[in-house]
Amino acid sequence: MCSVDSLFLSGNEAIARGALRAGVTFACGYPGTPSTEILEVLSATADRDGRVQAEWCINEKVALETAIGASLAGARSLVTMKHVGLNVAADPFMTLSLTGVNAALVIVSADDPGMHSSQNEQDNRNFAKFAKVPMLEPADSQEAYEFVAEACALAEEFDVPVLLRSTTRVSHGRSRVVARAPVAFAPRSYERSIDKFVMMPQFARQRNRLVLERLAKLRERAERTPLNVLEAGTADLGIISSGAAYTYAREAFPKAWFLKLGMSHPLPVEKVAKLYRSVSRVAVVEELDPFIEDQVRALGLPVVGKEAIPADGELDQEIVFAALEPYLTRRPPRRRRPVMPPAARISAPVPAEPQLPVRPPVLCAGCPHRAVFAMLRKHKVSPLGDIGCYTLGALSPLDSLDSCLCMGASIGMMAGMNKVLGRRAVAAVLGDSTFFHSGVTPLIDARYNETDGIVLVLDNRTTAMTGHQGHPGTGVHLDRSAGPALDIERLCQGIGVRCETVDALDTEAFESALKRELGAQGLGVIVAFAPCALMAPGEQQLTVDEERCNLCGLCLDIGCPALAPGETAVEVSAACHGCGVCAAVCKRGALSVAGEPAGTP
Amino acid sequence: MNGTTTVSFVGVGGQGVLLAANILAQTAMAQGYDVKASEVKGMAQRGGSVLSTVRFGKLVWSPLARHADVVIATELLEGRRALPLLAPQGALICARTIISPGSVLRGETQYPQDIEAAAAARSVTLLLVDAEAVARQAGTVRAANVALLGAASAKLPFNEAAWQQGLAAAIPAKILDVNQRAFALGREAHLNEEVTL
């Protein structure tokens, strides 16, 4: 078909080969025109050399979460989707900007100007600005091929996911590609870091400042990167463009100066200023939204943009020529000096009095989640987490949750991580309401993609964190009337996933269920069932045998607000629910519930 | 600012901080003031720090203020933590209630003992109230938030009738009685203390 060093590839083929060259070893996505062939080519090539795992996921959200898990596990990862797919994946995408990555994570968004096979024409360059992440826009197959490695390097240098935005004419256009030497990449190892990957408010605020600082550094990079080229011309016309639109403009005005943006977010404003010093007329040629144009106008610079270039549909060289040609004979605007945007101020953290003990929210006394975390810690199971009260399990002293990204992300992230590490390295923990919100689809995906892992659904029969709202698992409606309640275990059976329901507060039963799962292969779900302590008043009394208690601290290590060290033995406050989790961890039988010592050997 | 008075309520989730703030807001309205309030309560039930702000005056624009004229604290550490929130010459009305956070319980940190000195260093007028003892006397320790508000009430520019309207508007009828008693006992106990606002 073509020689070894000169291939004739579609943009999608080029992205796939570019991913292999860049050392991408995990790729996933959901099919959508014009993005689909990327994974198909990757998978076909991967089958030959066996280096890459590639899979279709159930949807774009789960695909991104799976790729995030793979990136955390240390594999360079790629996720593909069409433009509207990023709407589905927007929840993990927006917070991923805060957490950053481990190994590189490249998100390919293939837009469809002209809506050849799409329900809308949204311009996903806006997502790069929205999430404050860098965006690369290849204009042809050679760039599509090379930009994957560029994106990987950027991702790792700046600890940021990178958006690689293609359009129909890039993805489904074909052009010559000269192969480049493979990029060396050593897989990274995973390290637990809750202030990076558990996005509860106190950590998210810190990360958000880093996002703003990172954006400022990316602006500097956009000025220096060879992907953004100022190409000298002979005509008194400068054109700022990117992607496929650049090729049309280049052909329409071969003598013009060009600012060709391969990295189109953030915008290199100094380079824009330099173009304005070279020519007296500047136009922005871009498909769809005035994404670049608005930013140029914000510099106070006169520019020809969407008043001439259509704001909808695809462009071509004739449209571009006809649109800009009349301006060449008009008198050029006089103003050529930009007003540079000031650096954004980042608010200072609220000054805390350093000597004062902080009071983070804690799992309530009697909370059944505590029982689960104590047991997971005992068996050295480190789960990826989700959004709900149980996110608090990430904090000291339980220290038993590694991530919190967005609703339902735990299962997809587990899938990606376990796929890369090739074993049941991590589990997933999510609540009942979160499971119904966004946990069912990734569970179906895990079944479909034959993921190994343990999913723990902490079923406390309510949406606890927000104040005990009903959900499909309880059937309780907004007006508290009863409706049909879905059974998680039967739902899992329907999906074809092994599932067992146990009483979260029955230490023995829960431990044996966990042990069974730990000894098993494949995918399993444990529903740890026990109503929220705030809805079910405790009926049992905890007593302390002061003779036996030696204040070893094991019970204090489960972080129950009802337990405190006294002078000679632990003291129990009135907040105690009598759940018995402390009694179960006590090795001296000093704590007992309703007179019965629990958990003694 | 601009003739608006700001009262911030701080405490631990579950102590009735938001209810106390609502009573004050209702009272200020009963007295004919414009009122705005805001609260941060997402984690309120999980024993975290809670902050609720009530602002009243002839015309109030913002529901939020960086500094408060009065801070009403239902817990000692939270009162201590709130000292930087107070405007100069502000007043801290603080319950003597102690709820040790986990790090203190586990011996990793020390519960602060310096609230008087820290308040004095900032020229903040401090009124310490045995809110739980007063509430117990009224019939339930759970009314400590309202007992504390009673203690603070003598220092706020509302008449008795307005307070009663505020209590009735914010508290469920079933427990209004015991709260009215707690409020009255708190108010009596501190009626003559020197707290200039």
Side-chain angles (χ1 to χ4, degrees), chain A residues 159-470:
Chain A
D159 190 5
V160 65
V162 177
L163 199 58
L164 184 71
R165 189 236 187 190
S166 169
T167 54
T168 303
R169 294 298 161 186
V170 175
S171 280
H172 288 169
R174 288 179 173 272
S175 58
R176 207 162 59 93
V177 173
V178 178
R180 307 282 186 212
V183 175
F185 167 71
R188 298 183 164 199
S189 59
Y190 168 70
E191 274 170 37
R192 181 177 199 261
S193 174
I194 60 168
D195 54 1
K196 179 162 157 59
F197 294 117
V198 179
M199 287 301 95
M200 53 172 72
Q202 67 262 43
F203 299 137
R205 282 185 207 112
Q206 294 169 14
R207 295 297 306 180
N208 202 39
R209 282 189 203 100
L210 297 180
V211 168
L212 293 168
E213 288 167 15
R214 185 182 69 199
L215 186 61
K217 289 178 191 147
L218 285 164
R219 279 186 208 291
E220 289 169 25
R221 172 54 59 88
E223 301 289 357
R224 292 189 285 115
T225 176
L227 304 188
N228 292 335
V229 193
L230 185 60
E231 298 164 342
T234 53
D236 187 18
L237 170 66
I239 293 176
I240 307 172
S241 192
S242 66
Y246 165 78
T247 65
Y248 312 142
R250 196 75 228 231
E251 198 162 311
F253 296 99
K255 290 179 181 168
W257 288 62
F258 276 86
L259 176 55
K260 197 274 183 190
L261 300 174
M263 178 178 174
S264 54
H265 185 261
L267 185 72
V269 289
E270 296 288 349
K271 277 195 164 136
V272 172
K274 205 169 165 192
L275 177 67
Y276 273 84
R277 288 197 293 274
S278 312
V279 293
S280 55
R281 290 183 190 88
V282 174
V284 174
V285 177
E286 55 191 331
E287 285 176 328
L288 307 182
D289 293 347
F291 181 77
I292 299 168
E293 177 190 339
D294 282 354
Q295 297 178 71
V296 173
R297 287 195 192 281
L299 300 172
L301 293 168
V303 65
V304 180
K306 288 298 165 189
E307 73 270 43
I309 307 284
D312 62 332
E314 283 192 298
L315 304 178
D316 62 32
Q317 54 274 48
E318 285 193 24
I319 295 174
V320 173
F321 184 81
L324 297 185
E325 203 259 340
Y327 291 88
L328 296 177
T329 51
R330 290 190 200 169
R331 237 173 64 187
R334 292 178 63 184
R335 184 178 170 80
R336 307 248 298 272
R337 267 190 308 193
V339 180
M340 287 301 177
R345 183 179 148 192
I346 302 171
S347 64
V350 178
E353 302 232 349
Q355 76 278 21
L356 293 179
V358 294
R359 194 188 297 278
V362 290
L363 295 175
C364 305
C367 176
H369 301 337
R370 181 175 288 108
V372 174
F373 288 129
M375 190 61 72
L376 292 179
R377 192 174 57 178
K378 181 179 172 186
H379 290 275
K380 299 189 167 51
V381 178
S382 54
L384 298 175
D386 230 298
I387 299 210
C389 292
Y390 47 90
T391 313
L392 298 172
L395 302 175
S396 184
L398 287 166
D399 295 315
S400 41
L401 208 79
D402 279 24
S403 73
C404 163
L405 184 73
C406 69
M407 292 289 281
S410 57
I411 301 175
M413 287 173 69
M414 175 193 80
M417 213 156 179
N418 287 352
K419 284 259 158 76
V420 167
L421 297 173
R423 55 197 160 88
R424 294 174 121 197
V426 291
V429 164
L430 73 171
D432 46 342
S433 190
T434 305
F435 177 76
F436 284 107
H437 179 288
S438 298
V440 180
T441 40
L443 189 68
I444 296 172
D445 180 86
R447 163 82 170 135
Y448 162 59
N449 279 311
E450 298 174 55
T451 297
D452 264 358
I454 307 171
V455 175
L456 293 121
V457 180
L458 309 192
D459 185 0
N460 63 359
R461 309 304 297 155
T462 189
T463 316
M465 192 60 139
T466 47
H468 301 109
Q469 290 75 22

Side-chain angles (χ1 to χ4, degrees), chain A residues 114-135:
Chain A
M115 295 183 276
H116 298 284
S117 55
S118 302
Q119 64 272 48
N120 79 22
E121 204 182 36
Q122 68 186 52
D123 186 335
N124 273 13
R125 295 179 300 170
N126 295 300
F127 261 118
K129 189 161 187 273
F130 194 22
K132 304 182 178 73
V133 301
M135 174 173 57

Side-chain angles (χ1 to χ4, degrees), chain A residues 504-569:
Chain A
L505 293 172
D506 183 338
T507 310
E508 268 178 43
F510 181 59
E511 184 161 29
S512 57
L514 184 63
K515 279 180 173 169
R516 270 194 298 282
E517 261 311 322
L518 287 170
Q521 300 289 314
L523 181 66
V525 175
I526 300 174
V527 179
F529 181 96
C532 172
L534 295 177
M535 301 197 305
E539 287 161 8
Q540 294 173 300
Q541 288 290 317
L542 181 75
T543 52
V544 183
D545 183 337
E546 299 201 3
E547 297 291 303
R548 288 191 182 187
C549 177
N550 66 346
L551 280 174
C552 70
L554 274 179
C555 61
L556 301 174
D557 217 25
I558 59 172
C560 178
L563 284 179
E567 290 295 312
T568 57

